[in-house]
Amino acid sequence: MEGNIQVNGKHYQCECTYDGDSQYNVQVRNGKNVVANYKISAGSEGEVLESAQAHFAADVELGNVKG
């Protein structure tokens, strides 16, 4: 599954793959550059992008990744 998220006015692409047991591997990209990777637990695909956006926004705010 692929989708887009927006953090601090910038757009990012997410590629999500199902890993089993309600776990998704999420790769956040800015163009061709991978800026973050997450393992997210979600009950449905719809929850994955929301959770990825929250994780990424927190990492940007804390300075863990450059957004």
Side-chain angles (χ1 to χ4, degrees), residues 18-47:
Y18 186 67
D19 196 25
D21 295 329
S22 298
Q23 295 285 318
Y24 292 83
N25 290 318
V26 179
Q27 199 176 65
V28 180
R29 291 176 283 140
N30 184 2
K32 292 186 178 188
N33 297 326
V34 175
V35 292
N37 287 297
Y38 300 105
K39 185 171 270 273
I40 294 177
S41 178
S44 69
E45 287 185 354
E47 296 174 4

Side-chain angles (χ1 to χ4, degrees), residues 3-67:
N4 296 309
I5 61 173
Q6 183 177 345
V7 174
N8 293 341
K10 295 182 181 179
H11 295 275
Y12 299 90
Q13 301 80 37
C14 290
E15 185 175 315
C16 311
T17 55
Y18 186 67
D19 196 25
D21 295 329
S22 298
Q23 295 285 318
Y24 292 83
N25 290 318
V26 179
Q27 199 176 65
V28 180
R29 291 176 283 140
N30 184 2
K32 292 186 178 188
N33 297 326
V34 175
V35 292
N37 287 297
Y38 300 105
K39 185 171 270 273
I40 294 177
S41 178
S44 69
E45 287 185 354
E47 296 174 4
V48 176
L49 288 179
E50 290 178 30
S51 186
Q53 182 170 357
H55 282 280
F56 187 65
D59 275 349
V60 169
E61 187 173 323
L62 293 171
N64 295 335
V65 295
K66 291 186 178 185

